Amino acid sequence: MITIKGKSVFGGVSIGKIMFYKRNDKVIKREHVDNTSAEVERFQDAKKIAIEQLKELYNKAIADVGEANAAIFEIHQMMLDDLDYIESIENIILTQEVNAEYAVATTADNFAQMFSSMDDAYMQGRAADVKDVSERVLNILSGGSNTSMKTDEPVIIAADDLAPSETVQLDKEKVLGFATMYGSASSHTAILARTMNIPAVIGLGNELSEQFDGKEAVIDGFTGTIYIDPDDATIAVMKEKREKDIEQKRLLEELKGKENITKSGQKVHVYANIGNVSDVGLVLKNDAGGIGLFRSEFLYLESETFPTEEAQFQAYRQVAENMAGKRVIIRTLDIGADKQVDYFNLPKEENPALGYRAIRICLQQTDIFKTQLRALYRASAYGQIAIMFPMIISVDEVKKIKEMIEVVKAELDEAGIPYRKNIEIGIMIETPASVIMSRELAKEVDFFSVGTNDLTQYTLAIDRQNPKLEPFLDTHHPAILRMIKMAADNAHAEGKWIGICGELGADTELTEQFMAMGVDELSVSPALVLPLRKKIRECE
Ligand code: PEP
Ligand code: MG
């Protein structure tokens, strides 16, 4: 048994096989080859391996999910043997004298396009399949293992690190836990693990090596430990720990429907943070009073291109409707820094965290911003949507935003499109400038929400992405706590309310202090709502 210690991101115990996350190099290069017949042979060999893999998958699927559901793997095998498909690939290799990867990728694109343009819905569905099988062949050609993310049983995902865009694309049903070599506790990947309610350990270092791919492992998310090839005694202890955790969660269940109230009768809203429409189920399951932060940029991260107004409207509307009149605070696009989206073509920057990001992009690329505002205002007719703006540093920015909102409202009025008239407008307090200016800013908005993740990095000058700096990071630094108090006092002086939506809001060692500051709302990962409620009810 090998034991590696890292940092805990989210508690819980998971037991299963490790799968190393394989990055498929999406950019397939066109390369000239002299020996085209050898290249055709390379393709044929890769195809054979792919078919073998699919046969195995088919047999396993029959046992696990029955014949009807397993049939897809048979269809995939047939596709690889399809004469048109093979002929196209071989022709490209032979006539253009190019590498097999390029020929497979080009054929996959052509066939997928052809399928999707057909009238028949069944044939349209085959576009995804031809891409899927081709990806399998490409993976084999590039020397990747057969796995990639194609797994039929839930696994523990291991990786050097995971980008937020990679994390959101994982099949959540199939992820038992995360274990990464690098990463920091306030990175977006860590935040996603918490939202997804998945035991996760980060910062395991180089000891976590790819040779563990396929091995049995246990993640102890409480202590930040991973055990590889665990012995029977460890498995028994961990199973017991898992049982206790389940029991603890059952006890928390009893807090459902209860108020977030201290012993002396002070109440606070406890809301949940989400990144995705599908997270709303967890919000309701954990009895959160609302959504305190919907990181809308994940809609952009999941998409291949700018999400349309209609697509965004549908997403916001669904969240608002599912929350049935409870407050849903949607934060406008906050990309840049660690949240990179290829199609934005953002320039490489020396200091991306201090760079062209969030509201700065929105105020310059106003078409993108207006599309989002229109979608938000349209969706507001279906629930209690509030809108919040990230990375604010000045009153001037808020005034510009409000001007844009007026334009959007006028357009909707003219088109006779309904929207909620009294939408609350708020800003994130996540820059030191916004804290210092909080009295003036409070006059302009309805609420503040403190983003302690960024406020901490900008105040302490500690990059939230850099695990090397963890020894210097004091998340309870008095500078941060004083800043929250200052923003709270200024909000209240102007009759406005203040919440905390950064990770610190869930830190139960600080709950008593936040209550003393008069914080009105705490927004945390869905799974932390009930533990926080428990703490609040124990506070004096
Ligand atoms: C924060 O900065 O605390 C915050 C909530 O926003 P994000 O973590 O998405 O940057
Ligand atoms: Mg932030």
Side-chain angles (χ1 to χ4, degrees):
M1 177 172 83
I2 297 169
T3 306
I4 315 175
K5 279 208 77 82
K7 251 185 99 82
S8 162
V9 160
F10 187 71
V13 172
S14 53
I15 304 174
K17 279 212 177 90
I18 291 188
M19 175 182 277
F20 245 86
Y21 185 76
K22 303 277 181 327
R23 280 186 185 85
N24 293 331
D25 192 357
K26 287 207 178 97
V27 192
I28 303 283
K29 287 207 190 95
R30 179 191 165 107
E31 281 165 13
H32 173 81
V33 293
D34 290 325
N35 190 347
T36 49
S37 51
E39 202 61 14
V40 168
E41 221 168 283
R42 256 187 85 225
F43 160 66
Q44 288 288 359
D45 290 346
K47 181 171 83 76
K48 256 187 230 139
I49 298 173
I51 289 176
E52 283 312 309
Q53 289 176 359
L54 287 163
K55 276 187 188 151
E56 266 177 47
L57 272 179
Y58 177 69
N59 291 335
K60 188 175 177 316
I62 285 193
D64 292 350
V65 292
E67 203 162 344
N69 291 317
I72 186 67
F73 298 116
E74 241 185 358
I75 295 175
H76 280 194
Q77 288 174 55
M78 277 152 53
M79 280 185 154
L80 283 179
D81 275 330
D82 179 83
L83 287 182
D84 289 339
Y85 178 78
I86 297 171
E87 206 177 278
S88 162
I89 291 168
E90 294 187 350
N91 269 345
I92 293 175
I93 295 174
L94 294 169
T95 58
Q96 301 185 31
E97 298 180 346
V98 287
N99 51 329
E101 286 88 340
Y102 177 78
V104 172
T106 309
T107 301
D109 280 347
N110 291 344
F111 275 56
Q113 262 185 27
M114 176 184 78
F115 283 134
S116 22
S117 63
M118 290 181 178
D119 283 340
D120 183 314
Y122 174 82
M123 292 313 287
Q124 284 170 1
R126 302 284 70 81
D129 289 321
V130 77
K131 285 208 149 180
D132 200 2
V133 286
S134 304
E135 190 108 326
R136 187 174 286 281
V137 177
L138 283 171
N139 209 20
I140 296 164
L141 281 169
S142 66
S145 87
N146 58 353
T147 50
S148 180
M149 283 313 298
K150 293 187 189 334
T151 170
D152 299 295
E153 57 181 327
V155 288
I156 292 171
I157 301 290
D160 48 357
D161 200 357
L162 288 167
S165 55
E166 291 170 330
T167 314
V168 288
Q169 280 168 37
L170 295 176
D171 181 350
K172 294 176 196 175
E173 299 295 311
K174 306 242 175 85
V175 182
L176 292 172
F178 281 110
T180 65
M181 296 181 196
Y182 315 111
S184 78
S186 59
S187 69
H188 283 93
T189 300
I191 291 169
L192 280 169
R194 272 178 224 121
T195 309
M196 289 153 76
N197 211 353
I198 293 174
V201 186
I202 57 169
L204 292 159
N206 295 337
E207 273 185 82
L208 179 72
S209 98
E210 281 204 33
Q211 73 190 34
F212 300 141
D213 194 39
K215 288 205 187 292
E216 281 295 327
V218 178
I219 286 186
D220 181 348
F222 297 104
T223 59
T225 314
I226 184 165
Y227 303 95
I228 293 151
D229 278 338
D231 53 34
D232 291 348
T234 305
I235 291 187
V237 170
M238 286 298 135
K239 279 194 172 157
E240 199 180 319
K241 204 166 183 178
R242 189 168 64 179
E243 286 312 308
K244 277 207 183 115
D245 181 39
I246 292 168
E247 172 61 10
Q248 175 78 5
K249 289 193 174 121
R250 198 192 56 71
L251 285 175
L252 284 173
E253 289 278 306
E254 290 174 8
L255 285 170
K256 281 191 183 171
K258 302 235 163 90
E259 280 187 306
N260 307 301
I261 187 167
T262 62
K263 287 185 179 163
S264 58
Q266 187 186 344
K267 288 188 194 169
V268 62
H269 293 295
V270 177
Y271 292 171
N273 295 345
I274 64 166
N276 216 297
V277 179
S278 60
D279 296 333
V280 177
L282 285 175
V283 175
L284 297 170
K285 190 167 151 236
N286 287 283
D287 196 31
I291 289 172
L293 169 63
F294 178 177
R295 290 181 163 93
S296 70
E297 57 275 9
F298 283 105
L299 294 179
Y300 294 72
L301 280 165
E302 283 173 332
S303 178
E304 300 273 303
T305 180
F306 294 99
T308 59
E309 178 185 321
E310 189 59 26
Q312 290 191 59
F313 162 67
Q314 294 297 351
Y316 305 144
R317 171 183 169 166
Q318 196 179 332
V319 175
E321 282 183 338
N322 290 350
M323 289 303 292
K326 291 182 176 158
R327 196 187 260 142
V328 174
I329 304 175
I330 303 179
R331 176 175 74 185
T332 57
L333 180 63
D334 182 20
I335 58 156
D338 64 321
K339 287 176 281 195
Q340 289 293 334
V341 184
D342 289 348
Y343 56 82
F344 270 78
N345 285 324
L346 295 177
K348 275 251 168 300
E349 293 174 306
E350 288 279 328
N351 286 309
L354 305 181
Y356 185 55
R357 53 174 299 196
I359 202 68
R360 300 168 186 177
I361 296 175
C362 290
L363 287 175
Q364 292 224 316
Q365 304 195 38
T366 48
D367 285 354
I368 298 174
F369 194 32
K370 233 174 101 186
T371 302
Q372 182 168 35
L373 288 174
R374 278 180 63 96
L376 286 166
Y377 268 80
R378 283 174 56 197
S380 72
Y382 299 87
Q384 200 195 332
I385 284 179
I387 307 177
M388 168 159 85
F389 302 94
M391 292 292 297
I392 295 295
I393 56 169
S394 72
V395 172
D396 196 43
E397 285 167 341
V398 178
K399 289 198 166 143
K400 285 199 179 107
I401 292 166
K402 285 162 88 175
E403 278 167 23
M404 295 264 312
I405 289 176
E406 287 313 312
V407 173
V408 165
K409 279 161 69 173
E411 279 179 15
L412 294 178
D413 284 339
E414 198 169 299
I417 298 173
Y419 60 91
R420 198 184 178 90
K421 298 288 171 211
N422 55 347
I423 295 185
E424 286 179 299
I425 298 296
I427 56 167
M428 302 271 304
I429 296 287
E430 52 184 349
T431 62
S434 65
V435 177
I436 306 289
M437 301 303 293
S438 52
R439 185 69 192 253
E440 287 81 354
L441 287 164
K443 292 184 204 297
E444 297 291 330
V445 297
D446 300 307
F447 68 94
F448 288 159
S449 186
V450 187
T452 52
N453 310 332
D454 278 320
L455 186 61
T456 303
Q457 86 162 337
Y458 295 132
T459 304
L460 305 184
I462 286 185
D463 179 355
R464 65 192 271 191
Q465 293 295 114
N466 188 345
K468 262 217 177 81
L469 300 177
E470 300 265 346
F472 301 96
L473 178 65
D474 171 9
T475 52
H476 294 188
H477 196 295
I480 307 299
L481 298 174
R482 280 191 210 171
M483 281 181 147
I484 299 174
K485 166 100 171 57
M486 185 176 170
D489 288 345
N490 283 330
H492 293 149
E494 292 297 332
K496 309 297 165 68
W497 63 269
I498 182 165
I500 300 176
C501 63
E503 299 299 288
L504 208 60
D507 187 335
T508 47
E509 282 177 33
L510 294 174
T511 310
E512 195 112 35
Q513 285 193 57
F514 293 150
M515 297 303 291
M517 289 178 196
V519 168
D520 304 278
E521 175 245 17
L522 293 164
S523 190
V524 301
S525 300
L528 300 179
V529 166
L530 292 173
L532 181 58
R533 177 171 300 162
K534 180 169 180 284
K535 177 69 193 182
I536 292 164
R537 294 172 68 87
E538 287 161 5
C539 283
E540 293 301 329

